[in-house]
Amino acid sequence: MKFSVARNVSPSTLYIVPTPIGNLEDITYRALSVLQSVDLIAAESVKHTGLLLQHFCIKASLFTLNIHNEVSGSLVLLSKLQLGYSIALVSRAGTPVISDPGYRLVYCCVQKKIRVIPLPGACAAVTALSASGLLSDRFCYDGFLPSKRILRLERLRFLSEESRTLIFYESTHRLIDSLEDILNIFGSDRHVVLARELTKFWESIYGAPVKKLLNWLQRDIIRCRGEIVLVVEGYKCNKYKKLTPNILYTLELLISKLPVKIAISLMTKIYNVRRNDLYDYVVSKTNRL
């Protein structure tokens, strides 16, 4: 047990240490120094982190902290910090706590006034945003969309008028379903950038209106595989100022079941919007198709 004798770490301190999201050369000198020096490394995956440490010839004591033991594990680690241990928190890849375990431990440390030192480093969301070509001065990271469709649609409707660029993580097997829901809620023209396998050998970054993006993916299902980040253009007011995404969604639902004239008549009564704006929108959409 070292009890933080190295000068580059302090006792009773939690270090949040980002690790590479693919390319191992992306790790920082400071991250390596901390991992080499701390008394204990709290890892989401001991096996995955063990391979990383082995690559850099670092010998360290590891403790598993994942979604299955986050509550009990955080209490164990907290007690060790109070005894004087220095601990590094790492996830499988990227910056810990961002859609990964570790929040409870950090929260406990803050509550108990134990020092928390965050290191800068790899983060898939920011990496994808920087190369997306979409506005990056204001953005909203929203993690993984819900796996259940009813909840996913609810989340997307809530975000449908968000003007900031949106960032989501998505899994391979839900990608097509999520993009189809984005198309239905946000409209076919909303620009979406798919960043896949960032920093890895098969890295690809492709952006297009969501309908075109779906067609591109469906032509080659391999394009759906790997670690995926979706960067979505924020909502922009269109020339039909009062026709919000929620209004347009309802309009399209009604048109799919009723004659256009009746659907528009109902919409004017439900939302108090101009009949001519609704007709113009329907005509413009028909022309685009």
Side-chain angles (χ1 to χ4, degrees):
M1 192 181 301
K2 291 173 285 189
F3 277 103
S4 309
V5 295
R7 290 182 297 174
N8 52 344
V9 297
S10 302
S12 296
T13 302
L14 177 68
Y15 293 86
I16 301 175
V17 182
T19 53
I21 57 176
N23 192 321
L24 294 181
E25 293 182 9
D26 290 335
I27 199 163
T28 67
Y29 287 118
R30 187 182 177 200
L32 291 174
S33 177
V34 169
L35 293 175
Q36 178 77 59
S37 305
V38 290
D39 300 309
L40 186 64
I41 297 175
E44 181 183 6
S45 168
V46 167
K47 180 179 179 180
H48 193 85
T49 300
L51 293 173
L52 175 71
L53 298 178
Q54 183 179 354
H55 179 82
F56 290 105
C57 301
I58 294 174
K59 294 181 179 180
S61 298
L62 293 169
F63 179 94
T64 299
L65 183 70
N66 55 35
I67 58 173
H68 304 294
N69 75 332
E70 190 168 3
V71 175
S72 60
S74 294
L75 294 177
V76 172
L77 292 169
L78 180 65
S79 67
K80 290 183 179 297
L81 286 161
Q82 291 172 323
L83 288 172
Y85 280 66
S86 59
I87 297 177
L89 173 66
V90 301
S91 61
R92 281 181 60 89
T95 299
V97 185
I98 310 301
S99 291
D100 281 322
Y103 161 76
R104 291 180 183 275
L105 176 59
V106 175
Y107 175 82
C108 289
C109 289
V110 172
Q111 294 300 308
K112 297 296 184 180
K113 301 191 184 306
I114 290 173
R115 191 180 184 191
V116 178
I117 297 180
L119 277 62
C123 176
V126 175
T127 302
L129 175 64
S130 69
S132 69
L134 296 176
L135 291 175
S136 56
D137 55 338
R138 297 173 64 248
F139 63 91
C140 172
Y141 169 72
D142 209 64
F144 285 91
L145 286 168
S147 57
K148 292 186 177 179
R149 187 164 191 260
I150 188 170
L151 297 178
R152 187 165 62 242
L153 290 170
E154 183 180 331
R155 175 83 64 82
L156 290 171
R157 290 192 189 104
F158 176 78
L159 294 168
S160 61
E161 295 180 50
E162 173 57 66
S163 62
R164 293 172 294 178
T165 299
L166 298 166
I167 305 174
F168 303 104
Y169 288 161
E170 194 49 274
S171 64
T172 293
H173 65 277
R174 287 202 305 264
L175 178 60
I176 296 295
D177 290 341
S178 290
L179 286 172
E180 287 177 344
D181 289 340
I182 288 173
L183 184 151
N184 289 331
I185 302 299
F186 290 1
S188 59
D189 294 333
R190 187 73 72 95
H191 197 86
V192 178
V193 176
L194 186 151
R196 183 176 71 91
E197 293 290 87
L198 289 171
T199 80
K200 301 173 186 175
F201 182 79
W202 298 109
E203 174 183 282
S204 68
I205 301 172
Y206 179 81
V210 63
K211 187 173 183 179
K212 182 179 178 182
L213 176 60
L214 271 166
N215 291 334
W216 179 77
L217 288 171
Q218 289 165 341
R219 287 199 302 270
D220 185 354
I221 203 65
I222 291 177
R223 294 168 176 166
C224 295
R225 295 178 183 172
E227 302 288 334
I228 293 165
V229 184
L230 295 176
V231 187
V232 183
E233 179 184 30
Y235 170 69
K236 295 178 181 178
C237 292
N238 56 36
K239 63 180 179 179
Y240 313 108
K241 293 183 179 179
K242 292 187 178 181
L243 303 188
T244 64
N246 284 331
I247 291 176
L248 296 179
Y249 176 72
T250 305
L251 174 62
E252 292 182 8
L253 279 181
L254 290 177
I255 288 174
S256 69
K257 302 294 183 182
L258 300 169
V260 172
K261 186 175 181 179
I262 295 175
I264 287 178
S265 179
L266 289 172
M267 290 294 297
T268 59
K269 295 175 182 177
I270 297 171
Y271 288 104
N272 192 30
V273 292
R274 294 177 67 244
R275 186 183 302 269
N276 287 344
D277 286 347
L278 293 170
Y279 270 116
D280 287 347
Y281 172 78
V282 172
V283 169
S284 67
K285 182 175 177 63
T286 302
N287 290 338
R288 288 199 304 272
L289 295 174

